[in-house]
Amino acid sequence: MSYGFLDIATTPSVRAAQAEMEADAHWAAFSGNRAFDRFTDNEAHFLAARDSFYMATVSEDGWPYVQHRGGPAGFLKLVNDRTLAFADYRGNRQYISTGNLAANDRACLILMDYPRRARLKIYVHVEKLAIDADPALTDLVMDKDYKARAERIFRLRLEAFDWNCPQHITPRFSEREIEQAVRPLHERMAQLEAENRALQDRLAKMGDA
Ligand SMILES: Cc1cc2nc3c(=O)[nH]c(=O)nc-3n(C[C@H](O)[C@H](O)[C@H](O)COP(=O)(O)O)c2cc1C
């Protein structure tokens, strides 16, 4: 049995917690093929639409640290079916994720699609590269139209991913998504207002006559 993500996540203490909650039999009986160690078109499509994600790293003292990463939609690039990359932009200059990754290259990402109530978790090993270390990669991750200063490129080697269920995800919409959704209503309102003005003009002219 291989269940890539859970094979990593299920440590002895996790196994003990499952046993305590009588969930161990469920996982022991699991026989499906969910290695999830290569991205498919499904994940590629999902990643291309994301404009942010959360990344957990681990400090040298064992403390987890979660930070947000954002950029233009699709800024987390699929290099191939087992590799991702993104330009890491200048921020508050604490460099906590960067420092953590220098000591321990393991990270866990979670990506949210709030409107569709989907979430994708990804275990990766992360490698820090200079902006110009690999010209093809630089071309792939840099977006000249995006107003941010990239300080480094992170290349992420996939270990395993997993999809979560939609439970407890409240649908949320970005300004752009709302703008797209209400645009037909605005257009219809403008059309009706124009018709209304034309009718009022005709009525006024009839009254003058
Ligand atoms: C001017 C500025 C101030 C910021 N202040 C904070 C902050 O106080 N706390 C925080 O979590 N992120 C802050 N951010 C965002 C982080 O700097 C950004 O997420 C960065 O990528 C974090 O890098 P790290 O995870 O390597 O520490 C700030 C960004 C900018 C540009």
Side-chain angles (χ1 to χ4, degrees), residues 65 67-69 88-92 94-98:
Y65 178 74
Q67 221 348 327
H68 170 268
R69 289 293 187 270
D88 196 33
Y89 301 124
R90 189 185 181 98
N92 59 4
Q94 291 181 351
Y95 301 115
I96 299 173
S97 306
T98 306

Side-chain angles (χ1 to χ4, degrees), residues 1 15 37 42 49 58 97 135 159 161 169-170 196 202-203:
M1 174 188 97
R15 211 165 280 127
D37 57 357
N42 190 28
V58 188
S97 306
E159 277 293 330
F161 65 83
I169 303 176
T170 304
N196 192 274
R202 275 176 65 184
L203 275 175

